[in-house]
């Protein structure tokens, strides 16, 4: 090893991906130890960091070129020692001049003081805060003011972030490319308006509202109405995920849905107020769409809403089929299986979508209109490689046996399907047509029946969901 050039040794070390293996090889000789210390750019630590501040100081000194650091205290208990605190973040900021990517998870001792220390990290471009309950909007504001290169920001369950001046400041910077806000109780749909001109560069937005705990400001009609007065230039948006959001006609997030011209992936989960017109406008403007995921709120399944114009119908699916000819992945889920006859979409609409687009991945969750006739329709899906059926009770053995005729299917997942028995899998046994078969919580399928039905099989049985 002494005669190998540094560049070659660096190349060898770069091919070792697992941290435990890098740690082992670095102990084999002093040269490898020194080169590994110099080359190591990422670090992930957690409950074993004890005493936290002293241990972090030692690690920062050992690895002077750290760019990505993740500190997670998932599963932490007081007997494991004191967590990293504000002083620890000051140590990190002072000893990692190249820091660009930082993740703090379950760091419950950190306050706004620690975030202000991170404001000196001028190269920081990505920050993720997951359940750091002591920080507030003031701390986030001080950080974004100092870190003007911030392009990725993720806040998950930051319960005390109530003020949103930091969103307005980021809007003026126009540098944000990815924003994720999940279950931050005091941040509502109307607050996203404060991003202003920053919408222009935003490529990825994940916004999830805590449906079990909404502040009244989420329903503040005035805040949402102001969206009508502001243009939402989101032509750069590639990925959009909205969970438990309120979509108001002609305003708010409905404006975003209609202007994402380069959108490739969209996920709408339990979003109240989505109409056919929203999906149709989205489809007409998003010809590059590759992935569509819809989880329809149970309210849409109630008979009281049969004549409600807010219901999504086949018109949405037909528009997607007509305008989104690059669609490869689709997931449709009905959150409430109690009213199968009132599902928004019909089998006709689903089959039109599948047959007109090059669908490679299809997942149907409690879509009760999908039956054996739907399985027969999939025989014409030339591009279909992966199929997942969850709670699709109308599919029987007769329909499942058609899987052997699917031209390109490689992966099949069955979960909580009551109408399928061992007989449905019989044509697959010994054929090894499938690369993977996963059966989970299907009461009429035994573990014996899956053996030999695919090159790789997975079986799990827990029927507590039935009782």
């Amino acid at each position: 090893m002494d005669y190998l050039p540094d560049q070659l040794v660096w190349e060898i070390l770069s091919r070792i991906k697992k941290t435990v293996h890098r740690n082992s090889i670095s102990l084999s000789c002093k040269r490898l130890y020194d080169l590994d210390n110099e080359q190591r750019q990422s670090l992930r630590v957690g409950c074993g960091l004890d005493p936290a501040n002293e241990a972090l100081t030692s690690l920062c000194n050992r690895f002077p070129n750290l760019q990505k650091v993740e500190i997670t205290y998932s599963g932490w208990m007081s007997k494991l020692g004191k967590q990293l605190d504000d002083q620890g973040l000051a140590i990190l900021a002072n000893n990692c001049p190249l820091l660009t990517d930082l993740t703090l998870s379950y760091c419950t001792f950190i306050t706004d003081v620690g975030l202000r220390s991170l404001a000196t990290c001028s190269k920081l471009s990505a920050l993720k805060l997951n359940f750091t309950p002591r920080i507030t909007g003031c701390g986030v504001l001080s950080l974004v003011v100092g870190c003007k290169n911030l392009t990725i920001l993720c806040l998950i369950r930051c319960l005390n972030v109530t003020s949103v001046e930091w969103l307005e400041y980021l809007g003026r910077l126009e540098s944000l490319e990815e924003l994720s806000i999940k279950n931050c109780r005091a941040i509502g749909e109307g607050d996203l308006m404060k991003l202003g001109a920053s919408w222009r560069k935003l490529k990825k937005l994940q916004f999830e509202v805590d449906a079990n705990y909404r502040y009244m400001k989420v329903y503040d009609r005035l805040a949402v109405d102001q969206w009508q007065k502001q243009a939402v230039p989101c032509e750069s948006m590639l990925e959009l995920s909205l969970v438990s959001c309120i979509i108001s006609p002609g305003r708010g997030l409905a404006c975003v849905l209609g202007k994402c011209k380069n959108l490739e992936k969209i996920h709408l989960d339990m979003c109240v107020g989505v109409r056919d017109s929203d999906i149709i406008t989205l489809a007409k403007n998003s010809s590059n769409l590759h992935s569509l995921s819809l989880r329809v709120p149970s309210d849409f399944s109630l008979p009281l809403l049969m004549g409600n114009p807010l219901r999504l119908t086949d018109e949405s699916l037909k528009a997607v089929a007509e305008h989104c000819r690059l669609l490869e992945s689709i997931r449709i889920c009905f959150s409430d299986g109690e009213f199968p006859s009132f599902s928004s979409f019909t089998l006709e609409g689903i089959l039109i979508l599948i047959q007109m687009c090059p669908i490679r991945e299809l997942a149907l969750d409690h879509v009760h209109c999908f039956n054996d006739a739907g399985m027969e329709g999939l025989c014409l899906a030339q591009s279909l490689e992966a199929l997942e059926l969850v709670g699709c009770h109308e599919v029987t053995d007769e329909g499942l046996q058609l899987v052997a005729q699917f031209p390109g299917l490689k992966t099949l997942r069955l979960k909580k399907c009551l109408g399928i028995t061992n007989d449905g899998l019989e044509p697959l046994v010994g054929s090894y047509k499938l690369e993977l078969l996963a059966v989970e919580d299907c009461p009429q399928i035994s573990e014996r029946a899956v053996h030999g039905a695919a090159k790789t099989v997975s079986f799990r049985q827990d029927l507590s969901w039935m009782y």
Side-chain angles (χ1 to χ4, degrees), residues 310-448:
L310 293 181
R311 288 182 68 249
L312 291 174
T313 69
D314 285 348
E315 295 303 314
S316 295
L317 299 184
K318 291 176 181 178
V320 173
E322 181 180 355
H323 299 285
C324 304
R325 295 303 181 90
L326 300 179
L327 191 66
E328 295 180 333
S329 174
I330 184 166
R331 182 179 188 90
I332 299 176
C333 171
F334 291 103
S335 62
D336 193 342
E338 297 299 321
F339 306 96
S341 60
F342 299 112
S343 297
S344 303
F345 306 125
T346 69
L347 178 60
E348 179 188 0
I350 293 174
L351 289 181
I352 288 175
L353 183 62
I354 294 170
Q355 292 169 2
M356 292 184 65
C357 298
I359 303 295
R360 294 191 303 107
E361 300 176 357
L362 173 65
L364 301 175
D365 190 337
H366 287 88
V367 181
H368 295 278
C369 66
F370 192 80
N371 51 25
D372 291 345
M375 295 294 285
E376 185 176 358
L378 293 185
C379 292
L380 301 176
Q382 298 293 326
S383 303
L384 188 63
E385 297 179 359
L387 174 64
E388 180 179 355
L389 300 177
V390 181
C392 294
H393 306 313
E394 298 302 313
V395 177
T396 68
D397 291 339
E398 183 178 348
L400 189 66
Q401 289 173 356
L402 295 172
V403 167
Q405 303 177 30
F406 290 5
L409 194 69
K410 298 179 181 178
T411 300
L412 175 63
R413 299 180 186 274
L414 304 173
K415 183 177 181 180
K416 299 180 180 178
C417 293
L418 298 178
I420 301 172
T421 71
N422 293 344
D423 294 339
L425 294 174
E426 189 172 346
L428 293 172
V429 176
S431 68
Y432 295 103
K433 169 185 174 59
L434 298 176
E435 298 285 340
L436 171 65
L437 170 65
V439 177
E440 185 176 340
D441 304 339
C442 296
Q444 299 195 78
I445 301 179
S446 66
E447 186 172 4
R448 174 184 57 81

Side-chain angles (χ1 to χ4, degrees), residues 183 189 207-212 214 218-219 242-247 253 268-272 295 297:
N183 294 327
E189 293 91 337
F207 189 75
E208 182 172 335
V209 176
D210 187 345
N212 298 316
R214 281 178 174 265
V218 177
Y219 293 99
L242 304 176
V243 180
S244 300
C245 294
I246 296 176
I247 311 295
L253 292 172
L268 299 178
D269 188 337
M270 302 293 283
C271 291
V272 177
R295 184 170 180 234

Side-chain angles (χ1 to χ4, degrees), residues 1 18 24 36 65 96 139 145 205 233 237 275 280 305 314 350 358 361 364 372 377 382 387 414-415 442-443 451:
M1 293 297 296
K18 291 188 176 181
S24 297
D36 178 51
N65 295 319
C96 295
V145 168
L205 173 64
M237 188 78 70
R275 304 169 300 165
I280 292 172
L305 292 178
D314 285 348
I350 293 174
E361 300 176 357
L364 301 175
D372 291 345
Q382 298 293 326
L387 174 64
L414 304 173
K415 183 177 181 180
C442 296
H451 290 314

Side-chain angles (χ1 to χ4, degrees), residues 2 31 33 43 174 202 230 293 303-304 332 342 414 433:
D2 292 339
R31 186 185 182 201
Y33 181 83
L43 180 68
E174 297 186 42
L202 203 60
Q230 182 187 52
S293 175
L304 294 176
I332 299 176
F342 299 112
L414 304 173
K433 169 185 174 59

